[in-house]
Amino acid sequence: MSETLLQVENLKKHFPIKGGILQKQVGEVKAVDGLSFVVKKGETLGIVGESGCGKSTTGRLITRLIEPTEGKIIFDNQEITKLSTNEMRKLRREMQMVFQDPFASLNPRHTVEKILEEPLIVHGIGNTKERKKLVQEMLEVVGLSSYHAKRYPHQFSGGQRQRIGIARALMTKPKLIIADEPVSALDVSIQSQVLNLLEDLQKEFQLTYIFIAHDLGVVRHISDRVAVMYLGRMVELSDSENLYKKPLHPYTRALLAAVPIPDPDYVKEDTLLTGDIPSPSNPPTGCAFHTRCSECMEICKTDRPDFREIESGHYVACHLYDK
Ligand code: SF4
């Protein structure tokens, strides 16, 4: 079994809700509420769920772009939750993010060369000449050309901009890339090109990915394992093949019913997801999914199901599998 690169233990992020004239805390949004998982070196873990399930917050917590309320993050045998801002800045060389909207995350007033050179300057990598060479090389690696270096982000298509976002993330030769909906803003025809590029880069640079998406269809091809999140918690985690062939949690089944699965062995459920995701500031009692679950039982309304390993490597939080 390959080595663990990232270990997350009981990770929580509760955002305070303030109200009244004195702006006192009147509640909290439990965006992430007790996540524990590991990511092995070289694997891709897909994290999936509807918007508001906490998946993007999870990505930002792991890179400490936001601070956790509770829990541990151990990256490459080092507990990073305890690192100072300065130590964390150095460590960010090893873990980079790719964002959904490359246009918003690329400075419109900077040339591509400047955008790609910046992480090298921040981390003190190379002199001016060496940095320019690294930028030229990286442009080729992500399928752009060296003449693109002098252009500005608005001069590129959406797919090309995402290639620039990926190039920027790779400049410091990170070990872990957290890609937060990296293809959601792109046309379907361009999505597969960017996904193929990410797969090729993973092999070339031995990268480990956390791939966040709202759609189980998108992560299927790229993920070794998939975690499904609902209201700040994991409800199912399994290797990719098993999850798509034999989804256990009613929420996963409903998500799968919404995407076309080109697999003759997969028998599609007709359970489509109905209703909105409840507010994480006032989550339902018991199983948080019970207000939308077609298989809800009495116990589901009062008792929260444990996240348990039902089959080897296949975890689920659902009373349907209580012994
Ligand atoms: Fe549905 Fe109950 Fe399972 Fe929750 S625990 S997913 S409500 S069957």
Side-chain angles (χ1 to χ4, degrees):
M1 183 173 283
S2 62
E3 254 176 273
T4 297
L5 179 67
L6 176 78
Q7 188 173 349
V8 172
E9 287 177 21
N10 195 30
L11 189 64
K12 293 186 183 177
K13 181 65 188 177
H14 296 173
F15 293 102
I17 305 171
K18 298 202 170 149
I21 303 167
L22 298 174
Q23 283 295 295
K24 279 194 175 161
Q25 184 173 338
V26 291
E28 56 184 3
V29 174
K30 294 178 177 173
V32 171
D33 197 25
L35 283 187
S36 298
F37 59 94
V38 296
V39 184
K40 303 278 177 200
K41 275 187 185 161
E43 84 162 332
T44 299
L45 174 70
I47 301 186
V48 177
E50 294 163 283
S51 50
C53 74
K55 57 193 190 301
S56 292
T57 306
T58 304
R60 283 165 171 76
L61 285 170
I62 292 167
T63 45
R64 279 191 55 201
L65 290 177
I66 51 176
E67 291 299 323
T69 308
E70 211 179 302
K72 269 190 195 170
I73 302 162
I74 300 160
F75 175 74
D76 218 9
N77 299 316
Q78 190 176 17
E79 193 187 333
I80 65 167
T81 13
K82 291 195 172 138
L83 296 184
S84 67
T85 314
N86 204 24
E87 288 169 322
M88 197 56 219
R89 198 175 298 129
K90 283 187 200 143
L91 191 96
R92 284 224 180 83
R93 180 179 173 164
E94 312 271 349
M95 44 161 73
Q96 292 282 334
M97 284 199 78
V98 172
F99 295 97
Q100 175 180 359
D101 183 355
F103 201 50
S105 67
L106 302 174
N107 189 328
R109 286 187 294 276
H110 287 178
T111 61
V112 168
E113 182 170 67
K114 192 161 183 198
I115 289 168
L116 298 189
E117 200 186 357
E118 198 187 358
L120 300 176
I121 295 171
V122 168
H123 293 286
I125 301 168
N127 58 32
T128 309
K129 196 173 160 204
E130 288 163 344
R131 287 198 296 266
K132 295 227 178 307
K133 186 161 175 274
L134 287 171
V135 168
Q136 299 283 334
E137 284 169 3
M138 188 53 76
L139 283 171
E140 306 276 344
V141 164
V142 298
L144 294 169
S145 299
S146 50
Y147 65 82
H148 286 126
K150 298 292 175 203
R151 296 195 180 165
Y152 291 86
H154 74 268
Q155 295 175 289
F156 293 89
S157 66
Q160 286 174 318
R161 280 201 287 265
Q162 195 51 292
R163 285 173 192 267
I164 298 165
I166 292 166
R168 181 180 55 183
L170 285 178
M171 287 310 291
T172 58
K173 300 210 174 355
K175 291 179 180 154
L176 175 68
I177 297 262
I178 299 178
D180 187 2
E181 304 256 11
V183 297
S184 309
L186 304 175
D187 288 349
V188 176
S189 57
I190 309 294
Q191 285 187 355
S192 54
Q193 291 175 18
V194 173
L195 289 172
N196 288 341
L197 171 68
L198 285 167
E199 281 191 303
D200 291 346
L201 294 171
Q202 181 168 40
K203 285 187 206 117
E204 192 171 341
F205 298 104
Q206 288 91 46
L207 294 165
T208 303
Y209 287 152
I210 293 181
F211 194 102
I212 297 167
H214 62 270
D215 179 342
L216 271 167
V218 170
V219 295
R220 181 174 205 217
H221 185 55
I222 199 164
S223 302
D224 298 299
R225 290 186 303 143
V226 176
V228 179
M229 280 185 73
Y230 190 75
L231 279 181
R233 290 170 170 266
M234 246 178 222
V235 295
E236 187 159 4
L237 171 69
S238 162
D239 67 71
S240 199
E241 201 184 330
N242 231 340
L243 188 102
Y244 289 86
K245 278 215 170 107
K246 203 177 156 197
L248 296 179
H249 199 282
Y251 179 57
T252 313
R253 287 194 226 133
L255 285 179
L256 271 172
V259 292
I261 303 291
D263 184 340
D265 294 340
Y266 178 66
V267 183
K268 202 166 217 190
E269 302 268 327
D270 46 12
T271 356
L272 278 171
L273 206 49
T274 52
D276 292 329
I277 191 163
S279 167
S281 63
N282 187 20
T285 53
C287 169
F289 187 57
H290 87 254
T291 53
R292 301 167 83 193
C293 182
S294 58
E295 297 179 64
C296 178
M297 305 168 283
E298 271 317 302
I299 187 176
C300 307
K301 297 175 187 167
T302 51
D303 293 14
R304 179 188 286 161
D306 291 331
F307 191 60
R308 291 189 298 120
E309 190 171 18
I310 302 295
E311 292 163 11
S312 176
H314 197 154
Y315 297 78
V316 68
C318 175
H319 289 303
L320 289 174
Y321 307 95
D322 287 350
K323 292 224 171 81

